[in-house]
Amino acid sequence: MRDAVLRNGLKPIPAAVDSIVEVRGISKTYGDVEALRGIDLDFPRGKLTSLLGPSGCGKTTLLKIIAGLISADAGTITVDGKQVSAPGPERAFVFQDFALMPWATVMRNVAFGLELRGIGKAEREDKARHYIAEVGLAGFENKYPHELSGGMRQRVGLARALSVDADVLLLDEPFSAVDEQNRRKFQEDLIRLRTTQNKTFIFVTHSIEEAVYISDRIVLLSPRPGRVSRIIEPEVDRSGDPERIHRDKHYLDTVDEIWQGLKQYVD
Ligand SMILES: Nc1ncnc2c1ncn2[C@@H]1O[C@H](COP(=O)(O)OP(=O)(O)OP(=O)(O)O)[C@@H](O)[C@H]1O
Ligand SMILES: [Mg+2]
């Protein structure tokens, strides 16, 4: 499908052509709950795409299908042109609820993905140490998850996903359990990582502001059953002071425009 893309909701522009993940006709029903219906989406290389939509619209379900953790009832997922139906090393998942091993240190948790790939201890610890520092946790290598705050635990999850060198990072509301201050810091990190790492981020959130602030593209999903309702490419200049960006006219206009579209779903 060629998505009709609206830049700031105004001018249609051609859809991205170089996509790493292609979702075609994905549908999923759990028992009598229809979660997703006929999802067609392209996720461009090196960009951050957010999935935004009301609770229960199937965001986590779609992410898990892309990750190969659950299967769809219909449709296909291709990554780099190859159809996938199981987890693979080119995709890494950061879960909504941390999913860290409570009995293992930060170092072991981050290095775990590399351990599974059979990488030797010295090499995996070097790599893990590098990414622990990248997410701002240098000095916490030997701590256990219970000794960290919620935000720090989510950073460990992010470091683990980055360390396995996956091309595609699937992030399910990675900031949901953190306070506003840490959320802002985390958003800055993600904006920076997106430019330094050249990875494809697929990011789930239900915050309109967050989606507009950090995303190259925003996919709006309808309430259950989730369908693609619109795709928006916010034109926000993210250089400079975050406070200025939060007052930027494009930023505010795009937040308002998405809100106008979504508020019909709020009781
Ligand atoms: N394992 C499951 N078994 C049965 N129903 C499920 C299962 N997982 C999800 N569902 C249902 O499918 C729908 C979509 O769930 P999903 O978790 O994908 O939504 P979501 O958009 O991620 O919501 P949230 O924003 O609250 O995280 C919901 O109605 C949910 O109850
Ligand atoms: Mg979810």
Side-chain angles (χ1 to χ4, degrees), residues 54-61 63-64 96 172-173 204 206:
S55 183
C57 76
K59 302 180 295 296
T60 296
T61 299
L63 221 56
K64 284 185 174 168
Q96 197 163 3
D172 193 1
E173 301 198 46
V204 168
H206 33 286

Side-chain angles (χ1 to χ4, degrees), residues 3-250:
D3 307 321
V5 179
L6 301 180
R7 199 183 283 280
N8 278 340
L10 301 174
K11 311 180 290 285
I13 57 161
V17 281
D18 183 25
S19 292
I20 181 159
V21 178
E22 294 175 357
V23 173
R24 293 291 177 273
I26 289 290
S27 296
K28 175 75 180 176
T29 298
Y30 298 101
D32 56 1
V33 176
E34 188 183 7
L36 294 171
R37 186 188 294 176
I39 304 286
D40 288 310
L41 277 174
D42 291 319
F43 292 94
R45 248 170 240 286
K47 303 260 184 217
L48 190 150
T49 303
S50 287
L51 304 175
L52 180 67
S55 183
C57 76
K59 302 180 295 296
T60 296
T61 299
L62 180 58
L63 221 56
K64 284 185 174 168
I65 292 171
I66 295 171
L69 296 171
I70 58 174
S71 56
D73 301 330
T76 57
I77 306 289
T78 58
V79 178
D80 243 342
K82 283 193 287 288
Q83 197 171 322
V84 295
S85 55
E90 74 291 345
R91 283 157 291 148
F93 201 117
V94 180
F95 292 91
Q96 197 163 3
D97 47 6
F98 313 130
L100 299 180
M101 302 179 292
W103 62 87
T105 60
V106 167
M107 172 60 82
R108 180 96 199 277
N109 266 290
V110 173
F112 182 63
L114 299 166
E115 194 175 334
L116 288 180
R117 285 171 168 74
I119 309 228
K121 191 162 193 273
E123 189 186 335
R124 66 180 187 249
E125 293 200 344
D126 271 357
K127 216 162 184 180
R129 195 167 291 108
H130 170 78
Y131 285 104
I132 289 169
E134 276 277 299
V135 300
L137 286 179
F140 289 88
E141 291 82 356
N142 297 319
K143 301 279 185 208
Y144 288 85
H146 75 268
E147 299 176 280
L148 306 177
S149 71
M152 292 163 95
R153 272 180 260 163
Q154 281 175 314
R155 283 162 185 270
V156 176
L158 183 60
R160 175 158 75 192
L162 288 168
S163 71
V164 296
D165 274 342
D167 291 330
V168 180
L169 282 114
L170 304 158
L171 301 137
D172 193 1
E173 301 198 46
F175 315 148
S176 58
V178 305
D179 59 42
E180 189 56 30
Q181 213 179 332
N182 273 299
R183 198 179 175 99
R184 291 274 180 109
K185 244 198 273 170
F186 221 149
Q187 290 168 349
E188 303 307 314
D189 289 349
L190 204 55
I191 290 172
R192 183 177 50 79
L193 288 168
R194 194 195 50 193
T195 46
T196 58
Q197 302 283 323
N198 192 33
K199 294 184 187 295
T200 301
F201 291 91
I202 306 181
F203 181 89
V204 168
T205 180
H206 33 286
S207 162
I208 299 174
E209 283 83 2
E210 179 163 277
V212 176
Y213 186 49
I214 65 171
S215 314
D216 298 299
R217 307 174 94 220
I218 301 171
V219 176
L220 295 186
L221 295 169
S222 66
R224 195 178 54 240
R227 281 151 296 159
V228 176
S229 97
R230 270 177 70 193
I231 297 172
I232 290 167
E233 294 194 348
E235 272 189 344
V236 177
D237 172 10
R238 297 189 180 83
S239 57
D241 176 13
E243 296 311 315
R244 184 199 58 72
I245 301 164
H246 283 100
R247 293 191 302 268
D248 177 275
K249 183 170 184 322
H250 283 305

